[in-house]
Amino acid sequence: MLDVFEKKVLAGLKSCGVELYSVSSKSPLGIAVSGGADSVSLLISLASIFDSSFLRVITVNHGIRSEEESGGDAAFVKELCKKYCIKCYVETIGHGKITELAKNSSASVESVARELRYKAFESFIKNENIIALCLAHNQNDQCETLLMRFLQGSGTEGLGGIEHVRGKYIRPLLEISRFEIEHYLSQKKQSWRTDATNSDTNYLRNRIRNVLVPVLNENFLGWQKSVLLGAKKSRLDEKYLMDEMEKLPADLRLCNDSEPVQRCSIDRKSFYKMHPALQRRVFFESLNKIGFGSRFPYRVFEQVISWKEAKLGNISFEDVRVSLDSESLVIELSDDSKISKNENLCIESGFCFVLKNETDSFELENLAVRVQKSSDNQHLILSIAEIGCVADVISFPVALPLIVRNPLPGDEIQTARGNFKSLSDVFNDWKIPKNQRDKILVVENLSSGAENFIKAALAFHLGFKNWIVE
């Protein structure tokens, strides 16, 4: 007979779409078990619900901690499975492999570990014909995730929290608290393993769990219920928006087919007629489609939205280039790593435009900036003009690629004597008010070797001087 906890787990399974009759020895239920309290409680409760031949367990030794710790976890899980007569599969990742991969790829250890763990899960699901793989995320994990995403500035797609079902992955413990889990294990007189890295506050989740949550518990009684209720509302809002996305015409969702692409082209008129909430989803869907896996700054997306009335637009971040012409908004991958490295620096501070081709151009407030051939066709020039004011045009020779951006702390420009002077000192000499300095155009030449070279600082459009390096 099932106890209260096990009945809640069964209800969680049903809410994830798993019915008892669908699980069998030929279509077993998988359980991912780390050895921690959550996954141990999941294993034991499912062993009470199902025949042991209907269950399969996978545990992953990530090789991040010492072999004594991570190997000990795997051995603990194997012994537990042996006790309940459940088949157990151990995936072992070479010691230090994840750390090395993270270092070489500039990704976090957590993200690399997750990627390799899910690769192991996918193989396990396929090889064992798993009907669904149970993951042990619980209600506390849900609250911590929602706090994390709030602090990271997520929209409704993130503030809905962890999903109960994602493909073959299900989470039957999401409505069960960590207190209930530990109480259940205590009743069963069952021990569990504790990961020493759970106390490492270098990880955001651990800082939330060990620092923020205790403060909330002490000062904001019932905050968990409010956060979880907010997540339900966000999921409803997100479902509505996704339903609206499905209604969009084909010219806005050219990246919907399954195969990844290098380039997405979206009809300009249709895109700028949409509500910004849908624009954002179409834009970020396209980023996913071209395989861009990093975080894309919302500030850059806002710049794209501001192009609604512009004739042309051009901006880059990391290896993504976004451009606008009279017909289309184009989102594509670029492999220019040198440009990527430098535009990351300026994109966080304000505007940043990358000019790579002889026909590139953009508009910024009342300025039109473009690259063109000189009158003698011998070299390229950068032409900056005040829109609607033919007389005020600045042009000077350049070499591509260029970044046109706002000034940044530490910027220096070359003087006629060949030494360098701080741009902040130049602006002080020109008596430019500090509240106008972020509108000055800095032109940075990226083709002059390893060190970047500021070609110009332009303030004519503000009624001040220009400094152009000959």
Side-chain angles (χ1 to χ4, degrees):
M1 184 175 178
L2 301 181
D3 65 15
V4 173
F5 183 88
E6 291 157 359
K7 287 178 180 178
K8 290 190 75 170
V9 173
L10 179 57
L13 280 176
K14 291 180 178 179
S15 70
C16 293
V18 176
E19 296 292 346
L20 291 177
Y21 65 81
S22 63
V23 183
S24 68
S25 58
K26 292 183 179 179
S27 299
L29 191 65
I31 317 168
V33 182
S34 66
D38 306 337
S39 59
V40 169
S41 73
L42 183 57
L43 185 155
I44 294 174
S45 58
L46 290 176
S48 298
I49 297 170
F50 295 99
D51 185 282
S52 61
S53 65
F54 292 8
L55 302 174
R56 302 286 188 277
V57 164
I58 181 171
T59 187
V60 180
N61 179 348
H62 295 90
I64 297 173
R65 295 169 291 143
S66 68
E67 182 54 35
E68 182 182 0
E69 286 186 85
S70 55
D73 290 349
F76 173 83
V77 174
K78 285 180 69 176
E79 283 299 312
L80 190 61
C81 289
K82 185 177 179 181
K83 175 181 175 181
Y84 287 93
C85 302
I86 299 171
K87 288 184 180 179
C88 179
Y89 299 82
V90 179
E91 177 72 19
T92 301
I93 299 170
H95 188 72
K97 179 180 178 180
I98 287 175
T99 305
E100 186 65 25
L101 287 172
K103 183 180 178 182
N104 293 337
S105 66
S106 299
S108 69
V109 170
E110 287 174 297
S111 63
V112 174
R114 185 182 188 279
E115 181 181 354
L116 294 183
R117 180 168 64 251
Y118 273 84
K119 280 184 179 179
F121 289 168
E122 288 295 326
S123 296
F124 173 67
I125 289 169
K126 181 180 179 181
N127 295 338
E128 293 299 312
N129 195 36
I130 300 296
I131 189 171
L133 180 60
C134 298
L135 305 180
H137 298 96
N138 60 51
Q139 194 176 77
N140 294 65
D141 295 323
Q142 181 74 289
C143 289
E144 291 162 7
T145 296
L146 291 167
L147 291 173
M148 283 175 62
R149 292 181 180 175
F150 172 77
L151 294 173
Q152 292 169 335
S154 292
T156 54
E157 66 274 30
L159 293 177
I162 305 170
E163 297 176 1
H164 285 72
V165 180
R166 183 176 61 83
K168 286 209 169 188
Y169 298 97
I170 65 172
R171 298 174 173 88
L173 300 185
L174 267 187
E175 305 299 327
I176 300 175
S177 70
R178 189 167 289 131
F179 173 82
E180 292 174 286
I181 288 168
E182 294 184 3
H183 178 68
Y184 172 71
L185 292 178
S186 296
Q187 284 185 320
K188 295 288 184 180
K189 296 181 171 52
Q190 174 61 58
S191 62
W192 62 86
R193 300 281 290 186
T194 300
D195 186 342
T197 61
N198 287 344
S199 60
D200 184 355
T201 52
N202 287 317
Y203 299 108
L204 176 57
R205 181 178 290 277
N206 289 347
R207 288 202 301 277
I208 288 172
R209 179 179 296 173
N210 300 321
V211 179
L212 178 57
V213 167
V215 173
L216 294 174
N217 288 340
E218 183 178 351
N219 296 281
F220 298 92
L221 187 65
W223 67 271
Q224 296 97 330
K225 288 183 179 180
S226 298
V227 167
L228 293 169
L229 179 61
K232 285 185 177 181
K233 295 174 182 177
S234 293
R235 285 194 292 271
L236 284 175
D237 291 347
E238 182 62 16
K239 185 179 185 308
Y240 169 76
L241 289 167
M242 294 311 295
D243 288 346
E244 291 300 301
M245 284 279 287
E246 293 298 325
K247 299 175 186 177
L248 293 178
D251 58 2
L252 285 172
R253 306 198 75 193
L254 295 179
C255 297
N256 256 0
D257 44 85
S258 58
E259 292 301 317
V261 295
Q262 185 79 13
R263 181 177 187 270
C264 282
S265 179
I266 303 169
D267 179 76
R268 172 183 175 144
K269 288 183 180 178
S270 300
F271 180 80
Y272 283 102
K273 283 180 181 178
M274 283 191 299
H275 189 280
L278 296 178
Q279 287 176 328
R280 182 171 70 87
R281 281 159 177 78
V282 168
F283 184 85
F284 282 89
E285 182 182 77
S286 298
L287 287 176
N288 289 334
K289 186 59 184 175
I290 64 173
F292 181 74
S294 304
R295 289 185 179 275
F296 195 87
Y298 190 74
R299 182 190 298 274
V300 186
F301 168 72
E302 288 183 314
Q303 184 68 55
V304 174
I305 296 303
S306 74
W307 291 345
K308 183 175 182 179
E309 304 300 330
K311 292 181 180 179
L312 299 165
N314 191 334
I315 196 167
S316 296
F317 176 77
E318 292 191 2
D319 54 354
V320 174
R321 170 185 166 96
V322 185
S323 57
L324 181 77
D325 59 29
S326 60
E327 301 292 331
S328 305
L329 177 70
V330 177
I331 304 164
E332 57 191 331
L333 287 177
S334 164
D335 57 2
D336 196 329
S337 59
K338 185 180 180 187
I339 292 178
S340 299
K341 179 180 176 182
N342 289 280
E343 64 202 16
N344 288 349
L345 180 67
C346 64
I347 209 70
E348 295 299 331
S349 299
F351 61 85
C352 173
F353 298 89
V354 180
L355 304 173
K356 300 179 184 178
N357 303 308
E358 294 181 7
T359 57
D360 282 353
S361 63
F362 68 88
E363 293 180 5
L364 178 66
E365 295 186 356
N366 64 328
L367 295 178
V369 182
R370 64 176 178 155
V371 180
Q372 61 187 104
K373 284 282 186 72
S374 62
S375 57
D376 59 7
N377 256 356
Q378 295 299 306
H379 54 266
L380 293 174
I381 61 173
L382 185 69
S383 174
I384 302 101
E386 287 195 86
I387 297 171
C389 189
V390 179
D392 291 332
V393 179
I394 302 294
S395 62
F396 49 91
V398 293
L400 297 177
L402 290 173
I403 283 181
V404 181
R405 59 171 174 81
N406 59 301
L408 293 170
D411 279 343
E412 293 183 330
I413 196 164
Q414 192 172 26
T415 68
R417 295 182 179 180
N419 57 346
F420 287 84
K421 184 172 183 177
S422 165
L423 275 186
S424 62
D425 289 342
V426 172
F427 301 154
N428 287 336
D429 293 344
W430 291 350
K431 295 181 170 49
I432 300 179
K434 290 186 177 180
N435 62 0
Q436 293 191 53
R437 294 183 185 183
D438 61 349
K439 297 181 180 180
I440 295 170
L441 272 63
V442 172
V443 180
E444 188 172 6
N445 188 343
L446 300 181
S447 62
S448 57
E451 295 298 325
N452 297 330
F453 180 66
I454 292 180
K455 178 71 177 175
L458 309 174
F460 74 103
H461 55 294
L462 303 175
F464 298 97
K465 301 179 182 179
N466 298 312
W467 187 310
I468 299 173
V469 178
E470 298 297 334

